[in-house]
Amino acid sequence: MRRRGLVVGGLLTLALGMQPGMSPEAPATAAEQAAEPAPTPVWRVLRAESFTKTLTVNSAPWVRDPQTATSRWAVDQFDDNGRVWHAISDPAMTRQLRTMNVYRKRVAFGTDGWLTAEVAAVDKNRNGIPDSQPGLATTVLPDGQRAARISEPSWDAGVVIRPTRALPAAYRVEMTLRGIDFGGKRHGSLQYAGKTNGYRTGTCKTAFPWTFSGAIPGRPRCRYPSVTKENGFYFLTILDHANGAPHGNAGIHYRRKVVLDSYNSQASWSASNAICNPATGKLESTLAGTYNAVNAAFVRGDAFRRENNNVGNQYFFRTPCGDFDGAGRWGPDGRYRDLASSVELRPELLPTKRYRFAVERDASGYTIELTGPFRHVGQATYRLHHDFVEDGRPIWHYNQTPGEYDGRFDRSLTHTGPAGKYVTRHTWPAGSAYPDSFVIGDPHLNFYEGSAVVDDVRLLVPTG
């Protein structure tokens, strides 16, 4: 088994050991054997975007998404108008989708158009005009540097930056964050600037109509669960397809390989979530934090979340406090479960300070890197690696080509709802392949509200 390196403030320590609920050792595949051991790549910049050229995303026209299987934004059976939701919740799903339209913008930018902005907004009265004006625009920081502002003034919209083409076999992608306002406390309070947890005051901010069980029969929009206790942002998340764009929040949970995000939740189920305190090396309750935590998760390909109707995988968390399997419980008396966040941001230090987030893929697996002035420890860098298959536990859909995977983790999944069930018969068959892509921003059409500033996005590849 490869040893997982953890860099803290420039000093190398080692994160080893099994946690409760981890998969037992399984026979090594060719992919595992090839990953033992792999030299650390030396990277060179292939593409870089520092936003010195004025962005034109906001001036692009809106286009209505037909939400069909042949739509430019279609991905799979978990699309917003996907087969799964109709099978498990019709006629409510069909009826509720007819109450709204989705409008989109897709704009390439950067050298040779290597990046693409995906913007989406809901039109709830179907009058041909999106209900809000999310976007991506050039902004100037106090130091005079130009950057990009992701603006999402309403929860029923989404904005992401993604690569226009799939990522190469080996890469390092990184982004620099200069501002974040997607929930969390500021100076000790969740209420500031007329907002609560990043949401502007207003009624009927609900998850309608996309839940993990499809549409809810007999419930109109305003009787759906409120979203205002949950806010967040995707700093840098690797997807298993090259067509990332905002959709209802359920579907993306089936499409992620590596997650680097925030989930600033005061929902009742979040009381048992944990945050690593890097200064003590111990987990603390999320209730003791500032709701500005960063999740560094490798998505498991061998375990799924029944609480999410099997529409999404379990997580494996690497933190400065150790490794934690999302399918288990941790801490004294098993008081923590579900989420183990790695660090906490200090948003009040931005834009003077900055955070850099990176994900690398090499011949052995994926590495998450976090750098910045984190709570409790100040300026530090953490590198968290997971092999493609480690201790018998695979990263979901890690194979970019059929030859990297032999089909051993394929299985069926059953999704149930008020109208019936849908069976995904092959989740990961032999002969399959899944390109890597990434999203930065908010990919949810029915969750999250706020703004963020990004001043650098870079793609690096190995030298030679």
Side-chain angles (χ1 to χ4, degrees):
M1 181 180 71
R2 181 176 176 177
R3 308 183 81 192
R4 281 84 73 184
L6 172 65
V7 177
V8 186
L11 299 177
L12 177 65
T13 64
L14 294 174
L16 297 174
M18 296 280 287
Q19 296 295 325
M22 286 177 58
S23 301
E25 190 74 28
T29 66
E32 290 176 286
Q33 293 169 352
E36 295 259 6
T40 302
V42 177
W43 304 104
R44 64 178 177 87
V45 177
L46 181 65
R47 298 290 188 198
E49 175 57 43
S50 57
F51 302 102
T52 56
K53 184 177 180 180
T54 300
L55 292 164
T56 60
V57 177
N58 292 357
S59 61
W62 289 104
V63 176
R64 186 172 72 86
D65 183 354
Q67 294 194 321
T68 62
T70 58
S71 166
R72 285 190 289 163
W73 293 277
V75 181
D76 58 23
Q77 69 270 28
F78 296 102
D79 287 336
D80 295 344
N81 194 22
R83 300 189 306 275
V84 174
W85 315 126
H86 290 286
I88 68 177
S89 64
D90 260 346
M93 192 76 215
T94 295
R95 185 180 302 120
Q96 294 184 14
L97 284 176
R98 286 174 178 167
T99 69
M100 57 189 285
N101 285 325
V102 174
Y103 281 83
R104 298 184 180 275
K105 298 180 182 184
R106 171 177 286 178
V107 181
F109 64 95
T111 304
D112 297 327
W114 79 278
L115 291 174
T116 291
E118 295 276 6
V119 184
V122 171
D123 170 16
K124 291 186 286 294
N125 61 6
R126 297 168 64 100
N127 67 352
I129 303 173
D131 294 342
S132 65
Q133 293 295 317
L136 181 72
T138 303
T139 190
V140 180
L141 300 173
D143 61 5
Q145 183 171 345
R146 291 161 70 88
R149 179 179 296 277
I150 293 172
S151 178
E152 200 172 306
S154 184
W155 89 105
D156 50 358
V159 182
V160 300
I161 299 170
R162 67 168 175 88
T164 302
R165 292 165 288 277
L167 298 172
Y171 63 81
R172 172 184 167 93
V173 61
E174 58 186 41
M175 67 87 86
T176 302
L177 185 76
R178 298 297 298 276
I180 187 71
D181 186 11
F182 273 88
K185 290 183 178 181
R186 300 298 184 274
H187 305 289
S189 176
L190 284 169
Q191 297 181 328
Y192 60 93
K195 299 175 289 186
T196 301
N197 194 31
Y199 287 92
R200 292 166 174 81
T201 57
T203 58
C204 195
K205 297 193 175 188
T206 73
F208 180 94
W210 299 290
T211 77
F212 286 98
S213 296
I216 304 175
R219 286 204 196 180
R221 181 182 306 276
C222 291
R223 290 188 58 214
Y224 265 59
S226 173
V227 303
T228 56
K229 289 187 176 181
E230 304 164 75
N231 213 340
F233 187 78
Y234 283 51
F235 302 111
L236 191 60
T237 288
I238 304 300
L239 303 182
D240 68 356
H241 65 97
N243 197 24
H247 292 280
N249 76 305
I252 195 173
H253 288 77
Y254 189 80
R255 303 165 179 152
R256 304 177 298 178
K257 302 187 184 191
V258 178
V259 177
L260 226 173
D261 74 351
S262 63
Y263 178 60
N264 306 322
S265 171
Q266 293 79 54
S268 59
W269 55 81
S270 296
S272 58
N273 294 167
I275 306 171
C276 170
N277 181 334
T280 64
K282 298 183 181 299
L283 294 179
E284 299 177 352
S285 169
T286 188
L287 301 178
T290 66
Y291 299 101
N292 289 293
V294 178
N295 304 307
F298 300 95
V299 180
R300 289 183 58 176
D302 61 340
F304 295 81
R305 294 171 61 85
R306 284 188 289 180
E307 60 269 39
N308 284 358
N309 201 13
N310 289 326
V311 185
N313 314 57
Q314 291 287 1
Y315 308 110
F316 189 82
F317 300 97
R318 290 234 138 99
T319 80
C321 298
D323 298 343
F324 303 95
D325 186 348
R329 303 183 73 96
W330 342 288
D333 303 318
R335 69 180 63 170
Y336 303 128
R337 62 181 177 85
D338 198 31
L339 290 180
S341 301
S342 292
V343 291
E344 285 184 275
L345 304 183
R346 299 181 62 194
E348 67 276 9
L349 299 180
L350 304 173
T352 302
K353 300 293 185 179
R354 66 192 68 197
Y355 291 96
R356 186 184 66 205
F357 302 98
V359 176
E360 300 171 5
R361 186 185 194 270
D362 61 20
S364 64
Y366 291 92
T367 300
I368 293 173
E369 182 180 281
L370 310 93
T371 297
F374 301 113
R375 187 175 180 231
H376 300 301
V377 294
Q379 188 72 26
T381 292
Y382 300 97
R383 287 180 58 81
L384 311 166
H385 179 87
H386 193 295
D387 289 348
F388 292 132
V389 183
E390 189 174 291
D391 300 326
R393 179 187 58 251
I395 293 177
W396 176 240
H397 287 176
Y398 67 82
N399 57 305
Q400 292 185 350
T401 65
E404 294 178 295
Y405 169 68
D406 60 8
R408 66 188 291 221
F409 299 108
D410 189 28
R411 59 178 292 177
S412 65
L413 290 174
T414 300
H415 320 288
T416 61
K421 69 179 182 179
Y422 181 97
V423 178
T424 300
R425 300 197 179 280
H426 292 283
T427 59
W428 196 359
S432 61
Y434 305 91
D436 280 27
S437 186
F438 66 79
V439 287
I440 298 167
D442 171 23
H444 302 322
L445 264 179
N446 55 344
F447 272 82
Y448 300 173
E449 179 177 308
S451 64
V453 176
V454 179
D455 79 357
D456 188 42
V457 180
R458 302 202 306 167
L459 172 63
L460 299 89
V461 294
T463 59

